[in-house]
Amino acid sequence: MTYEADTGRLPGDASPPPAEALERDGGIGVDGFLEGLWDLLTSMKFGVIVILALAALGLVGTMVIQAPPGIASDAAAKADWLDEIRPKYGGWTGILDQLQVFTIFESVWFRALAALLTASLIACSAHRLPGLWKSATRPHVAIGEAFFSHAPQHEFMAVRGSGEEIQTRVTGVLRKHHYRVVSEDDGTVHLYADKFRWGPFGTVIGHLSLVVILAGALVGSAFGFRDTGFVVAEGSTVPVTSGEGISVELVQFQDAYYTTTGAPADYASDLIIYRDGAEVARQTIRVNEPLRYGGLSFYQSFYGPAAAIRVTDAKGAAVFADGVPLAWTENESGRRVGSFVIPGADLTVWIIGTAGTSDPKIAPGQMRVEVYKGSDGTAVAGETIDQRTSVALAGYTFAFDREMQYTGLSVARDPGTPLVWLGSVLIIVGFVLVLMFPHRRIWGRLVVRADGRGMLSLAAAGRRDVNSNTEFTDLVTEIRTAFTTPADA
Amino acid sequence: MFKMSEYAFVAAILATGLALILYLGYALSGLRAARMQTAGATVRTGVMGFSSGPRTAGLGRYATILGWLGFAFLTAWVIFRTLATGHGPFANMYEFSVAFAWGILGAYYWFEHSYHQRILALFALPVALAMMLYATTISSVVEPLVPALQNNLLLTVHVAVAIVAYGSFTIAFAAALLFIIQPEGGRWGLPKPEILDDISYKAVVVGFPFLTAVIVLGAVWAETAWGRYWSWDPKETASLVTWLIYGAYLHARVVRNWRGRKAAYLLMLGFAATLFTYFGNLFFGGLHSYSGLG
């Protein structure tokens, strides 16, 4: 195919020869191995295969249900989850789990491929850089005659005048079009002109930007903090476990709905952030408006009902008074549940809300209070009560003051994010450089005879593409015109 | 405004449908001419080896005019719908589908203008038409935005950029399909394989950076709304898979003997991934599941 980019064969070109063509010394041992590894990592075929393999894993990740985050470290939760999906995957469940298909993006396979891709990206960039640098800073100026009749675009013109005069005219035209012109004279005048010589570096920038993004992801998972299930009831203050002495108070949560369709219109949490007990930030957060304080970000994520509960001991002293978020859902009944521990006692209290108007045991407006032994989980007592009433259970008095709401936040500190954004900007910069500033190169060869008649050959490298075609043709036309005016005419 | 947008949409369907019929006639006339050519008649070849074609030029011209009209009507739809909703018309499956068709027509005419290969329309326009017909099955009522989508700037830019990418990929697909159905060396008066390969490549060269921008903008939005720039949401992952396939294509094309047919198969795969990404939220749920169809 004649239109093919012959870049590999052009003089001074930076593109690497295909790995297959690289000289192999045939030696065995470490050198031979490293060389083989290098060939593999810089091989385009290998790169394509790794990319497609990653795509295949990604496809598996969209088709096969993925375990919720954090479940892998909790054996019981994982077993429960596997049982949940077993009806769908049947006998394959265990095998797929062994193959880490349910956590495909944390699997050995995925990590190995990502590592290979990173190594390949770095190797390819390192492989290309010296050539690019050379072609930008020390281009090959003097090239053989044959090139001018074989280049994808070439043009010959008869010219008159002294060598310097001709050269000045040609150079003048090229410079006017922002070309850099370099010449060498060894009896024949060799000309080299180029524009956008830093454009090809966009390729390297684009490829390395992916390494930057992956580095950002690594930094985030190694040094970041994330709590996607951070719940606070209205009026409560809950500490963030990131170890910075930060706590969050929810002043109020509001959910609004469109009157026309009933679709949700707004979720807003009025938050106060405390650091070591002192208020440091205050904001109403919405789904698209997180609160940022220090390196931490607080996102509106979910919400639900909560119950204001007061517990007093036998002497009438308050031992607990707080909003209890009913942040879990019982599988069978669909009831919302929440829990807390009575300080100084081996008792865990579960607060259970209604499943709705059809709930036979807990009516809307009621809460069920169940007390369990914290150590072995044995049930101690339980009772369903109305709002603004109380009940005596296990030696304590439980008052259900009112129903309210809790907000579910996602709290995150991800120090890798700046790297990810840097990589994202770099990848766009890379595309802009490569696409908008393609390296344009023109070689010229000028032979002038003693009688002042000369032959100027011009040739351009590159693909047969409409834009560079036009540019070369226009330049040639302009150079021709330069010779027909005024000295010659 | 809403009424006007509805009229523009219907007019666009009619114009595109008629254009497709004319393109079909144009292609069939070419088939006959190609047979005559093999029987010994001579054929003009245009500049730079682009076959200007022995086809009935008149039919092709009218097809182009009608197609442009379809594109103009869709542009009107975009404007009216934007005025009616206050954001780019990209917030649910109905809006996105019509906008997708708009992107395909836009990309197609950009390529028809620079390559003069009307045969591409045979595969590009049906995709656009299918998108519009699919949109007619979905309610077009303007609904207010749910909280996650209440970011007019990102909603408009993120999806507008996606439309350019998807439109370009559709053209790459159409050219690759034409490449694949031809026997080696080309036949039936279809565009030369080299030109088809070039069109595909150019389309991906446009589409790939745009898809990259879609993913980056999506990450920016996800970081604002969902609390992390990447959560392996199925639609996110599908877009990454699509991105990887087109990335593989761009690299495969440099491997000497992978160019041509193998690259064309990768483009089929890429377009399948594009459609999968596009329709994905209908069946895999996840955070992008606000299609307006649930």
Side-chain angles (χ1 to χ4, degrees), chain A residues 121 125 199-213 422-434, chain B residues 208 212 243 251:
Chain A
L121 286 166
S125 300
F201 286 86
T203 318
V204 175
I205 294 173
H207 282 82
L208 289 182
S209 68
L210 296 179
V211 179
V212 175
I213 291 173
L422 174 69
S424 302
V425 170
L426 285 178
I427 198 166
I428 303 293
V429 167
F431 278 124
V432 169
L433 278 178
V434 170
Chain B
F208 190 65
T212 312
W243 188 82
H251 289 85

Side-chain angles (χ1 to χ4, degrees), chain A residues 346-350 352 368-383 393-395 398:
Chain A
D346 179 30
L347 292 175
T348 301
V349 183
W350 287 88
I352 304 159
R368 183 170 173 80
V369 182
E370 290 185 357
V371 185
Y372 294 87
K373 270 223 166 65
S375 47
D376 55 10
T378 46
V380 179
E383 183 85 50
L393 293 171
F398 294 85

Side-chain angles (χ1 to χ4, degrees), chain A residues 214-256:
Chain A
L214 289 170
L218 268 186
V219 168
S221 64
F223 306 110
F225 165 81
R226 190 174 298 278
D227 183 351
T228 53
F230 185 89
V231 289
V232 204
E234 286 172 315
S236 298
T237 305
V238 177
V240 176
T241 56
S242 65
E244 293 159 286
I246 303 281
S247 48
V248 180
E249 178 184 344
L250 173 66
V251 179
Q252 187 184 228
F253 173 82
Q254 275 190 313
D255 47 336

Side-chain angles (χ1 to χ4, degrees), chain A residues 96-150:
Chain A
L96 291 175
D97 180 45
Q98 282 298 308
L99 289 172
Q100 305 179 338
V101 172
F102 297 126
T103 48
I104 196 99
F105 301 112
E106 282 141 38
S107 68
V108 181
W109 322 111
F110 186 77
R111 288 190 172 151
L113 281 172
L116 273 180
L117 184 70
T118 310
S120 176
L121 286 166
I122 293 172
C124 286
S125 300
H127 195 59
R128 285 206 69 172
L129 261 181
L132 287 181
W133 184 254
K134 187 173 173 295
S135 107
T137 55
R138 284 177 290 117
H140 197 79
V141 177
I143 62 177
E145 204 176 344
F147 172 70
F148 291 92
S149 36
H150 290 115

Side-chain angles (χ1 to χ4, degrees), chain A residues 57-369:
Chain A
L57 282 193
L59 191 62
V60 171
T62 59
M63 304 299 280
V64 179
I65 190 167
Q66 293 295 296
I71 215 166
S73 50
D74 184 344
K78 191 179 167 185
D80 281 352
W81 185 81
L82 284 177
D83 286 338
E84 224 171 273
I85 60 158
R86 211 174 292 276
K88 193 173 170 200
Y89 293 94
W92 290 96
T93 314
I95 300 165
L96 291 175
D97 180 45
Q98 282 298 308
L99 289 172
Q100 305 179 338
V101 172
F102 297 126
T103 48
I104 196 99
F105 301 112
E106 282 141 38
S107 68
V108 181
W109 322 111
F110 186 77
R111 288 190 172 151
L113 281 172
L116 273 180
L117 184 70
T118 310
S120 176
L121 286 166
I122 293 172
C124 286
S125 300
H127 195 59
R128 285 206 69 172
L129 261 181
L132 287 181
W133 184 254
K134 187 173 173 295
S135 107
T137 55
R138 284 177 290 117
H140 197 79
V141 177
I143 62 177
E145 204 176 344
F147 172 70
F148 291 92
S149 36
H150 290 115
Q153 285 184 284
H154 55 265
E155 207 58 61
F156 301 101
M157 58 182 91
V159 287
R160 271 163 192 252
S162 73
E164 293 91 72
E165 201 186 327
I166 296 167
Q167 210 182 316
T168 314
R169 282 182 195 230
V170 175
T171 309
V173 171
L174 289 167
R175 291 229 166 103
K176 202 176 100 197
H177 289 272
H178 311 289
Y179 275 78
R180 160 184 72 157
V181 185
V182 187
S183 64
E184 277 173 20
D185 194 340
D186 57 4
T188 301
V189 179
H190 302 280
L191 292 171
Y192 169 82
D194 72 350
K195 190 161 80 169
F196 305 141
R197 61 184 183 276
W198 304 112
F201 286 86
T203 318
V204 175
I205 294 173
H207 282 82
L208 289 182
S209 68
L210 296 179
V211 179
V212 175
I213 291 173
L214 289 170
L218 268 186
V219 168
S221 64
F223 306 110
F225 165 81
R226 190 174 298 278
D227 183 351
T228 53
F230 185 89
V231 289
V232 204
E234 286 172 315
S236 298
T237 305
V238 177
V240 176
T241 56
S242 65
E244 293 159 286
I246 303 281
S247 48
V248 180
E249 178 184 344
L250 173 66
V251 179
Q252 187 184 228
F253 173 82
Q254 275 190 313
D255 47 336
Y257 299 86
Y258 293 110
T259 46
T260 45
T261 59
D266 192 22
Y267 303 125
S269 299
D270 205 351
L271 299 183
I272 303 177
I273 310 296
Y274 298 94
R275 173 167 220 143
D276 303 323
E279 179 179 330
V280 287
R282 182 178 194 141
Q283 187 188 321
T284 302
I285 66 162
R286 298 190 149 77
V287 177
N288 271 291
E289 295 164 25
L291 187 163
R292 314 226 184 230
Y293 170 73
L296 281 173
S297 303
F298 302 83
Y299 304 90
Q300 180 64 53
S301 190
F302 55 102
Y303 70 98
I309 301 289
R310 239 171 344 101
V311 186
T312 43
D313 64 13
K315 292 171 211 135
V319 292
F320 178 91
D322 208 351
V324 180
L326 307 187
W328 290 277
T329 304
E330 252 182 13
N331 275 345
E332 311 84 53
S333 63
R335 292 187 186 113
R336 313 277 316 197
V337 298
S339 81
F340 63 93
V341 176
I342 295 179
D346 179 30
L347 292 175
T348 301
V349 183
W350 287 88
I351 305 294
I352 304 159
T354 175
T357 44
S358 58
D359 193 326
K361 282 168 77 180
I362 307 168
Q366 290 185 320
M367 290 284 164
R368 183 170 173 80
V369 182

